[in-house]
Amino acid sequence: MSFPRCALLWARLPAGRRAGHRAAVCSALRAHIGPFPGALGRVPAVASSSSASGGSKAPNTSLFVPLTVKPQGPSADGDVGAELTRPLDKNEVKKILDKFYKRKEIQKLAADYGLDARLFHQAFISFRNYIMQSHSLDVDIHIILNDICFTAAHVDDLFPFFLRHAKQIFPVLECKDDLRKISDLRIPPNWYPEARAIQRKIIFHSGPTNSGKTYHAIQKYLSAKSGVYCGPLKLLAHEIFEKSNAAGVPCDLVTGEERVTVEPDGKQAAHVACTVEMCSVTTPYEVAVIDEIQMIKDPARGWAWTRALLGLCAEEVHLCGESAAIDLVTELMYTTGEEVEVRTYKRLTPITVLDHALESLDNLRPGDCIVCFSKNDIYSVSRQIEIRGLESAVIYGSLPPGTKLAQAKKFNDPDDPCKILVATDAIGMGLNLSIRRIIFYSLIKPSINEKGEKEIEPITTSQALQIAGRAGRFSSKFKEGEVTTMNREDLNLLREILNRPVDPIRAAGLHPTAEQIEMFAYHLPDTTLSNLIDIFVDFSQVDGQYFVCNMDDFKFSAELIQHIPLSLRVRYVFCTAPINKKQPFVCSSLLQFARQFSRNEPLTFSWLRRYIKWPLLPPKNIKDLMDLEAVHDVLDLYLWLSYRFIDMFPDASFVRDLQKELDGIIQDGVHNITKLIKISETHKLLNLESLSTESQSRLSGALKSQARRTRSTKTSGSKAAEPPGPHAGEKSLASRLVQQGLLTADMLKQLEKEWLTQRTEHGKEITESGTYSKGTRRKKKEPDSD
């Protein structure tokens, strides 16, 4: 039967008789318009689809962002469905759809196909809008709706069409099994076939800071025919690079922002010092050194240590770090069939926790280092030291490496009048400092947990040991180290922290590769990169010794540049660029760089100079100094991208020279930091009145109590928490804001004074004038009313 003949017969049939001839008509229609999405009889209660079956965890459907399916407009061929049957009554159709939505059988069937209550509701709203707003529907669904109107079909017959629509707006439903296979992160050792093809010797050098563990590993590195050093910081990679070449062992340098080859012809040297993220897992070496192996647990960067540990192709792999990582490393190496030899080292010089706190900056001595955990504290302490006629060096995380080294050199120089160091925990790694005594200004440090949440808690034992260990180093002039606190009340807590055993490391970090994300995008082409990452992490499966690293920084960059047209691979690279998301200028620069790239416009040196408004003036206050630090980070970003997209970022050598010049300007600014602080205070750009000893003591005591209560709760498990003590109010919001550097004691006093004044005035006005009615002017207070 031809299609025109079928249509003519269908149109001539009375409505009541059409149902009897449905099979013949549908058969003819299929020959011309293809199969219907499902049987046109009642939908049976089928078993769950394979994508919803299996032992995998249920996905977090809140991550599934629905795509938009536009209603159909007028068709060039007319409304074939209406010609075959009749035009649909939209009111009747709406009733049918509402009945369909409310049926428990349909909801259960949808759940079997992966549509939980949330997805079912969203899919139905979209499906209903599509049906009601389309000028003409596909022939198959038009016929079904018409048959349901005449009770020739059951409302359940809509389910195949609903499911087809649901898979259009939630494409993840169609490919869940494939996505689970792609995001399967189990058995990571198998990702590195080159390393598995050789039998490696694993040697773990375990010990505290200043125990010589890294020294012994580096000696093996230098004596080998070829080697790679993997460090956590650019400063450490630079140090090994310089030591190696000074020892007559040609060594290249590879960091995210820099490549230095020492051979005149540009050929790669047999030795290389690199940051851990940059190590090659395909190049064969005789010896590899992985420094600070305990960072394998880092919530954001741990994946790089896991990759190096499992993937380096070296006959000998030397690991340096804390004993807390031994058990985990042994377990991981068991899965590769490799044994771990542990060499234990003891500290070379003694270190003593003093029985008294510093209490006052008047008690400072040459060789002292005050460790703060906020920039505001750094500025405040530096200013107070300068008031006492002393000179101090300053080191904190956001300073350029050159400036940190310059400040360290100034502090270490016996002929320089600078004998005091004020620093953050940035001194914990990468700098050789001649420190006699470490003084913890506070024991509270903001941190980011594995979920990306900010926490404000006492420093961990590992952090305390790392920082305290900088005192009395073997290579410095001080052969004995001392540790204490600024406040007397913190001293017992410090002892407690230092005496606690370091918690063993339980898991190693993992990270999705660009290839895995590309395969995800193939299945979900209309999903944003940030959403792809969320779905990947949710679908991922890991073995018990691993975890997926926090990717909030990646997602932040992905959302920042989402609207810019870039290929997925390019977008992925831009998102892995290390930026400080707290610096607005750095974030806007990433956006601007991506925009230029998308236009295929190379970012030349002259363009960059105009963008950063070079030449830059020396800083006149602290804000200027912070702005210069941000510009330095932008130049770092350019250099990082220049090694990934050399054609689009062609002037790396000029930018590096420019960065060195900027580093000099920043060094001069930091050298005069106390003057900048003073000017900033004068112009009310900064208020750094330090906490009084009494205020700090109260705050420290409260934090100590809080830490003990936390530990008690953890140890006791189900034991009921004790009611707060009489000083529970001390750990108030105000105290926490002061500790974070968002408020100072002076600001707090001023706020209290203003509040009390307003309260007193308001009380007097109420007393004198009674309750004010709306629009009544308040009585003016008499001059002698007080």
Side-chain angles (χ1 to χ4, degrees):
M1 189 188 315
S2 67
F3 177 73
R5 176 66 177 158
C6 166
L8 181 62
L9 290 174
W10 182 265
R12 287 178 178 174
L13 281 173
R17 294 180 58 198
R18 287 176 187 164
H21 297 269
R22 257 170 98 247
V25 174
C26 291
S27 175
L29 285 172
R30 283 193 190 98
H32 290 271
I33 63 175
F36 292 175
L40 291 179
R42 174 143 349 151
V43 178
V46 296
S48 61
S49 66
S50 61
S51 63
S53 62
S56 304
K57 64 175 182 179
N60 178 7
T61 58
S62 66
L63 301 175
F64 300 170
V65 179
L67 303 179
T68 303
V69 177
K70 294 181 179 179
Q72 289 187 175
S75 171
D77 298 329
D79 192 345
V80 178
E83 291 176 13
L84 288 174
T85 58
R86 66 181 181 96
L88 294 171
D89 182 341
K90 293 290 185 178
N91 290 327
E92 287 293 324
V93 170
K94 186 175 182 303
K95 290 177 184 176
I96 291 169
L97 292 174
D98 289 343
K99 183 179 178 183
F100 173 84
Y101 176 72
K102 292 174 182 176
R103 281 184 59 77
K104 297 295 183 186
E105 293 85 351
I106 291 296
Q107 294 173 18
K108 184 178 182 303
L109 191 58
D112 289 339
Y113 280 88
L115 288 160
D116 62 11
R118 178 181 173 278
L119 296 188
F120 178 74
H121 177 74
Q122 287 183 293
F124 174 75
I125 296 298
S126 176
F127 181 62
R128 185 178 64 188
N129 290 343
Y130 174 80
I131 297 291
M132 299 301 292
Q133 295 173 17
S134 291
H135 283 80
S136 61
L137 295 169
D138 292 336
V139 177
D140 48 6
I141 193 169
H142 187 110
I143 291 173
I144 287 295
L145 286 168
N146 182 76
D147 283 354
I148 295 171
C149 287
F150 286 97
T151 66
H154 194 278
V155 69
D156 289 1
D157 292 346
L158 277 175
F159 185 79
F161 304 96
F162 168 74
L163 185 61
R164 178 176 67 183
H165 185 89
K167 288 180 177 179
Q168 282 182 282
I169 68 168
F170 294 117
V172 68
L173 297 173
E174 193 81 287
C175 53
K176 281 196 289 187
D177 285 345
D178 291 333
L179 296 181
R180 280 203 173 92
K181 288 175 185 174
I182 295 167
S183 58
D184 190 342
L185 302 181
R186 291 173 294 185
I187 322 180
N190 291 351
W191 304 349
Y192 308 102
E194 292 91 346
R196 299 293 77 77
I198 61 175
Q199 187 64 29
R200 305 180 304 169
K201 184 178 180 181
I202 312 296
I203 300 160
F204 195 122
H205 300 265
S206 166
T209 55
N210 194 27
S211 60
K213 58 184 185 297
T214 308
Y215 170 81
H216 286 91
I218 293 300
Q219 291 307 113
K220 291 291 292 183
Y221 165 83
L222 294 174
S223 62
K225 293 177 184 176
S226 62
V228 57
Y229 168 83
C230 308
L233 301 173
K234 287 183 281 186
L235 280 173
L236 285 169
H238 269 277
E239 182 184 342
I240 301 303
F241 165 72
E242 290 169 357
K243 277 184 179 178
S244 185
N245 286 300
V249 179
C251 175
D252 292 342
L253 174 69
V254 178
T255 70
E257 299 80 14
E258 192 173 9
R259 310 282 191 282
V260 179
T261 53
V262 293
E263 298 291 351
D265 56 357
K267 186 181 176 183
Q268 287 187 356
H271 288 70
V272 60
C274 63
T275 45
V276 67
E277 286 88 351
M278 301 304 298
C279 70
S280 167
V281 291
T282 55
T283 307
Y285 300 102
E286 184 180 342
V287 169
V289 176
I290 305 175
D291 207 356
E292 306 294 350
I293 186 63
Q294 72 276 2
M295 290 190 70
I296 200 168
K297 69 173 181 180
D298 188 87
R301 295 179 66 201
W303 64 270
W305 276 264
T306 306
R307 174 177 172 270
L309 175 62
L310 298 177
L312 281 172
C313 299
E315 296 169 28
E316 284 188 15
V317 180
H318 291 259
L319 313 174
C320 306
E322 297 175 2
S323 59
I326 293 175
D327 289 347
L328 176 65
V329 168
T330 304
E331 285 181 36
L332 297 183
M333 293 302 95
Y334 178 79
T335 65
T336 66
E338 296 162 329
E339 292 185 2
V340 179
E341 177 189 338
V342 179
R343 298 178 185 173
T344 307
Y345 302 81
K346 292 184 179 179
R347 186 175 167 86
L348 298 172
T349 56
I351 188 165
T352 307
V353 180
L354 299 179
D355 56 4
H356 58 275
L358 187 71
E359 298 194 88
S360 170
L361 295 177
D362 295 329
N363 299 323
L364 286 171
R365 302 184 309 216
D368 279 351
C369 172
I370 303 177
V371 176
C372 309
F373 294 116
S374 79
K375 269 191 184 180
N376 271 7
D377 285 345
I378 290 273
Y379 299 150
S380 174
V381 172
S382 303
R383 180 84 174 93
Q384 291 177 70
I385 290 172
E386 192 253 355
I387 290 170
R388 287 163 171 78
L390 301 174
E391 194 172 334
S392 64
V394 172
I395 295 174
Y396 51 86
S398 59
L399 285 177
T403 305
K404 289 177 185 173
L405 289 170
Q407 288 290 298
K409 184 179 179 182
K410 177 184 176 185
F411 173 70
N412 290 336
D413 186 353
D415 300 323
D416 195 290
C418 171
K419 301 299 179 189
I420 309 294
L421 176 63
V422 184
T424 63
D425 55 340
I427 62 164
M429 292 180 193
L431 292 168
N432 291 317
L433 296 162
S434 188
I435 298 171
R436 173 168 56 186
R437 180 170 61 172
I438 289 284
I439 301 153
F440 284 94
Y441 192 70
S442 165
L443 294 175
I444 306 301
K445 181 189 176 187
S447 62
I448 304 295
N449 65 18
E450 292 178 9
K451 296 178 181 177
E453 300 163 341
K454 189 173 181 180
E455 294 179 340
I456 300 174
E457 292 183 345
I459 55 175
T460 64
T461 301
S462 177
Q463 292 166 337
L465 290 170
Q466 186 82 27
I467 297 166
R470 309 307 290 179
R473 291 182 67 81
F474 183 72
S475 57
S476 76
K477 64 181 180 180
F478 301 114
K479 300 306 178 186
E480 292 186 12
E482 297 173 344
V483 184
T484 188
T485 59
M486 183 69 186
N487 304 300
R488 189 187 313 163
E489 289 76 10
D490 285 343
L491 201 51
N492 286 335
L493 179 57
L494 176 63
R495 284 199 190 92
E496 191 179 327
I497 291 172
L498 290 172
N499 290 330
R500 250 185 253 155
V502 179
D503 293 332
I505 298 170
R506 304 291 182 192
L510 295 174
H511 191 285
T513 64
E515 291 76 18
Q516 288 170 319
I517 298 302
E518 278 184 336
M519 286 190 282
F520 245 59
Y522 172 79
H523 289 284
L524 305 172
D526 298 312
T527 306
T528 66
L529 181 54
S530 175
N531 194 216
L532 276 177
I533 293 295
D534 280 335
I535 297 172
F536 184 98
V537 172
D538 183 59
F539 272 62
S540 64
Q541 301 173 74
V542 295
D543 293 326
Q545 302 104 325
Y546 299 95
F547 68 92
V548 180
C549 284
N550 180 283
M551 299 189 67
D552 283 353
D553 288 347
F554 184 99
K555 285 165 53 185
F556 174 84
S557 297
E559 289 163 5
L560 188 68
I561 63 172
Q562 179 56 44
H563 63 287
I564 297 175
L566 297 168
S567 70
L568 182 69
R569 181 56 72 104
V570 169
R571 190 181 299 279
Y572 182 92
V573 173
F574 266 87
C575 293
T576 54
I579 65 167
N580 182 355
K581 61 184 182 184
K582 294 178 183 176
Q583 288 277 12
F585 183 59
V586 179
C587 298
S588 63
S589 298
L590 178 71
L591 187 63
Q592 187 62 37
F593 288 2
R595 189 175 286 121
Q596 286 281 108
F597 191 105
S598 71
R599 295 174 186 152
N600 203 28
E601 298 174 3
L603 289 90
T604 61
F605 180 59
S606 57
W607 179 91
L608 186 64
R609 281 171 60 98
R610 289 194 303 273
Y611 177 71
I612 63 172
K613 299 178 181 177
W614 189 267
L616 299 171
L617 299 173
K620 296 178 182 177
N621 52 53
I622 289 295
K623 183 180 179 303
D624 289 350
L625 179 62
M626 293 170 69
D627 289 345
L628 291 176
E629 291 168 10
V631 173
H632 192 280
D633 286 350
V634 169
L635 299 184
D636 258 349
L637 175 62
Y638 183 99
L639 293 170
W640 192 93
L641 290 166
S642 72
Y643 288 105
R644 280 82 182 166
F645 307 111
I646 191 168
D647 295 336
M648 296 300 291
F649 297 84
D651 295 328
S653 58
F654 295 119
V655 173
R656 191 168 303 287
D657 293 339
L658 190 70
Q659 193 180 45
K660 287 177 182 174
E661 195 175 336
L662 175 59
D663 202 341
I665 298 173
I666 294 173
Q667 285 182 37
D668 291 341
V670 174
H671 182 72
N672 299 311
I673 194 165
T674 51
K675 293 179 183 176
L676 302 185
I677 294 168
K678 191 174 181 179
I679 293 169
S680 298
E681 286 185 301
T682 304
H683 291 81
K684 299 185 187 288
L685 297 173
L686 204 60
N687 191 343
L688 294 174
E689 287 297 324
S690 68
L691 290 169
S692 65
T693 307
E694 185 183 354
S695 300
Q696 284 205 17
S697 300
R698 273 201 232 105
L699 178 59
S700 302
L703 290 166
K704 181 170 67 173
S705 306
Q706 182 183 12
R708 283 178 175 164
R709 279 197 297 275
T710 305
R711 286 193 300 277
S712 172
T713 306
K714 286 179 181 174
T715 13
S716 59
S718 59
K719 185 179 178 181
E722 292 183 10
H727 301 291
E730 290 171 4
K731 54 182 185 0
S732 62
L733 174 62
S735 298
R736 294 200 303 274
L737 291 174
V738 168
Q739 189 60 36
Q740 293 173 55
L742 302 174
L743 274 179
T744 65
D746 185 60
M747 292 164 68
L748 200 57
K749 288 175 185 174
Q750 184 65 28
L751 285 170
E752 185 180 2
K753 191 185 296 181
E754 289 177 7
W755 182 77
L756 287 171
T757 304
Q758 288 179 8
R759 186 180 174 191
T760 306
E761 288 177 358
H762 183 64
K764 287 182 178 292
E765 288 167 354
I766 295 276
T767 306
E768 292 170 2
S769 305
T771 305
Y772 298 109
S773 60
K774 188 176 180 181
T776 305
R777 188 172 180 177
R778 293 189 177 187
K779 181 179 177 182
K780 187 176 179 182
K781 190 169 76 168
E782 296 298 328
D784 58 348
S785 62
D786 290 338

